[in-house]
Amino acid sequence: MRQLIITDQVLPGPHGERIPDGAVLVDGDTITEVGPRAEVEHRAGPGARRHDFPGCAVLPGLINCHVHLAFDAGSDPVGTLRASDDETLLPAMAERARDLLRCGVTTARDLGDRGGLAARLRDTINRGEVTGPRLLTSGAPLTIRDGHCWFLGGVVTGESEIRERVWRTAEAGADLIKVMASGGQLTPNSPPMWQSQFGTEDLRVVVEEAGRAGLRVAAHAHGTEAIASAVDAGVTTVEHCTWMGPEGQDRREDVARRMAARGIYACAASSRNWRAMVEKFGPDRAGAIYGRLTWLDSLGVPLITGTDAGLPGSVFDDFVGALELYEYLGFPPGRIIEMATVTSAAALGLGDEVGRLAPGYRADLLVVAGDPLAGLEALRHRRLLLARGRAVEGDQAATPTG
Ligand SMILES: [Zn+2]
């Protein structure tokens, strides 16, 4: 089916690009034309189903680069996960994936589940049996004995186990490899967040072995030392990137500059809970925490968007609430949209398929009422969401006239 989508403005993805009175033509699951309305209408000819959206904008489907579908976002996600068998967990994960999609996320990267469940869900979505975003999954993250998220099943000790684990994860159908380079928040009696779990040489082995399988590496790193090791090892994305030292914040400009030079992305992995943090800590302390993002940006480190959905309070159905952090930090809405589309797609290795409205790209697109360039709030007012060319349930498409 061919679909012609007409809006007051087309936002193709890159910051600064905007087509007033524009249109997008979709054929099946692929975008075939993007441009001024009259031109696209002319090329569409008769027979395309026409959707008119006055007062609206169309932009690429959004990308959430950091979710955990296996966690339920409740007060004890680890306890709930460990008490659930796979047959209970999988349908719950499918429901969370639908929540992601309903708020405009057409691509999501799962960075840690159990037993290959996210890969199973990805495959059922790809077969069209379940509605959900395009999913990339890392499988169980590599970690150390009693380390961060050891219960997901990715414990390794020493080089040969690292190689074997990466190889097995790739064999099981993972889209990338995730490694817990530092401690984290979630696991009782595990190393503190600032402390490294793996050294630079271990991380090099991870990157090398993943590269053999054609996979990228995402490194969870709160600690400054772990960030430096991950950057030196050549990972693709640094998750959290919080610059923690044993005595508090410890930003290292030389490391950030190496990140920028090597094109290594930073993902804040921060949910809509940022508002509660600002209230709890006050603007000064919250500014010190979130100010790292402005600082990274000023040094040229590419930022991508992710929410750590599944952790306590990190819900699956408020991606815009998470993006509004960047608005609070002073990023122009057009740049935030670019981060959540173009830049995130590139970080995931999908830069030629999703994250832009351009001929040949997948028909993942979002129509919203109002002007998202004037404020991200507009992204909450969805009028139509196409995922692989198919309207997501509940959307009222305009009257077909052609
Ligand atoms: Zn995470």
Side-chain angles (χ1 to χ4, degrees), residues 130-205:
V130 185
T131 308
R134 183 183 315 278
L135 279 184
L136 275 69
T137 165
S138 68
L142 272 65
T143 189
I144 57 170
R145 191 169 304 283
D146 299 321
H148 182 47
C149 289
W150 60 267
F151 49 85
L152 294 175
V155 171
V156 287
T157 311
E159 182 179 334
S160 62
E161 282 189 28
I162 290 175
R163 290 193 193 277
E164 189 184 340
R165 170 64 59 183
V166 170
W167 181 82
R168 278 179 191 280
T169 307
E171 274 283 298
D175 301 290
L176 76 152
I177 298 296
K178 165 95 177 282
V179 57
M180 301 300 200
S182 79
Q185 230 169 354
L186 207 57
T187 315
N189 308 313
S190 65
M193 290 165 78
W194 58 265
Q195 196 170 302
S196 291
Q197 295 201 138
F198 293 100
T200 308
E201 280 316 308
D202 286 335
L203 295 177
R204 279 208 178 100
V205 172

Side-chain angles (χ1 to χ4, degrees), residues 90 116-130 133-137 172-175 388:
L90 193 56
L117 291 177
R120 272 170 67 184
L121 179 58
R122 173 199 64 199
D123 294 345
T124 55
I125 292 171
N126 288 346
R127 288 195 299 267
E129 294 164 20
V130 185
R134 183 183 315 278
L135 279 184
L136 275 69
T137 165
D175 301 290
R388 305 173 203 224

Side-chain angles (χ1 to χ4, degrees), residues 326-397:
Y326 295 93
E327 214 168 33
Y328 170 80
L329 292 170
F331 287 76
R335 276 220 56 211
I336 304 167
I337 290 169
E338 179 181 63
M339 281 159 46
T341 56
V342 179
T343 318
S344 289
L348 270 48
L350 298 175
D352 296 329
E353 286 176 61
V354 300
R356 285 174 198 260
L357 301 181
Y361 276 70
R362 301 298 98 196
D364 292 347
L365 58 83
L366 177 61
V367 177
V368 297
D371 180 8
L373 297 182
L376 293 182
E377 166 67 22
L379 298 181
R380 298 179 189 280
H381 306 296
R382 190 186 93 202
R383 289 293 176 269
L384 176 72
L385 176 63
L386 293 188
R388 305 173 203 224
R390 287 165 64 172
V392 172
E393 51 180 309
D395 276 347
Q396 296 299 313

Side-chain angles (χ1 to χ4, degrees), residues 46-127:
R49 185 175 173 182
R50 186 186 165 105
H51 309 287
D52 269 299
F53 291 102
C56 293
V58 59
L59 64 152
L62 305 173
I63 302 175
N64 189 334
C65 297
H66 193 136
V67 305
H68 299 278
L69 292 166
F71 291 139
D72 71 350
S75 58
D76 181 17
V78 176
T80 309
L81 173 93
R82 296 182 71 187
S84 311
D85 60 21
D86 288 0
E87 298 324 303
T88 327
L89 202 48
L90 193 56
M93 290 167 69
E95 188 51 47
R96 289 168 208 145
R98 271 194 290 275
D99 285 344
L100 287 172
L101 185 64
R102 284 192 199 107
C103 60
V105 171
T106 49
T107 300
R109 184 174 64 156
D110 191 289
L111 287 184
D113 73 321
R114 182 184 76 191
L117 291 177
R120 272 170 67 184
L121 179 58
R122 173 199 64 199
D123 294 345
T124 55
I125 292 171
N126 288 346
R127 288 195 299 267

Side-chain angles (χ1 to χ4, degrees), residues 280-306:
K280 186 171 153 197
F281 292 138
D284 286 353
R285 213 179 133 202
I289 296 168
Y290 295 117
R292 75 187 193 279
L293 301 169
T294 326
W295 176 73
L296 284 167
D297 180 61
S298 72
L299 294 171
V301 176
L303 302 181
I304 57 173
T305 52

